[in-house]
Amino acid sequence: MDTGVVPAVVRRRLAGPGRYPAAFWWAALLVTGVALVLRLLNLGRPREVMFDEVYYANEAQDLLQRGVEWVPEQGTPEYVVHPPLGKWMIAVGEQVFGYNAFGWRIMAVLAGTASILLIMMATWRLLRSPILAPPRAC
């Protein structure tokens, strides 16, 4: 027999997880701030290109100058296998800070640090979800 009334336990399970408390924001911003500082220390060292930077920093510069990756010897666009999003991010750093070690590394630092905050937010939502939480005793 359906009375049309939703039991309290069902309402609790279907309710949203609510807002993030102030303590969460303080902790999340502290952890994210420490991560940012640690990543920014000595970011410009070594000054020369390392590993894949030899490709990506140059190709990001090509994107800024020509809009595509470029083969200067042939004067034609380059056949590219990797998607350009990462190179465009590097290009933004190069545009703002110049074509140097700091310029081609800064956007990876900012994206990586932002991902820490986003993961903390998602984890909080997931662990505080009424759907995943065990039922409370009445």
Side-chain angles (χ1 to χ4, degrees), residues 6 18 21 46-47 60 79 116 131:
V6 178
R47 296 194 187 286
Y79 176 73
I116 292 171
I131 294 174

Side-chain angles (χ1 to χ4, degrees), residues 93-110:
E94 290 176 353
Q95 180 72 27
V96 174
F97 296 102
Y99 184 72
N100 54 49
F102 187 87
W104 64 64
R105 294 177 185 147
I106 186 64
M107 293 307 290
V109 166
L110 296 178

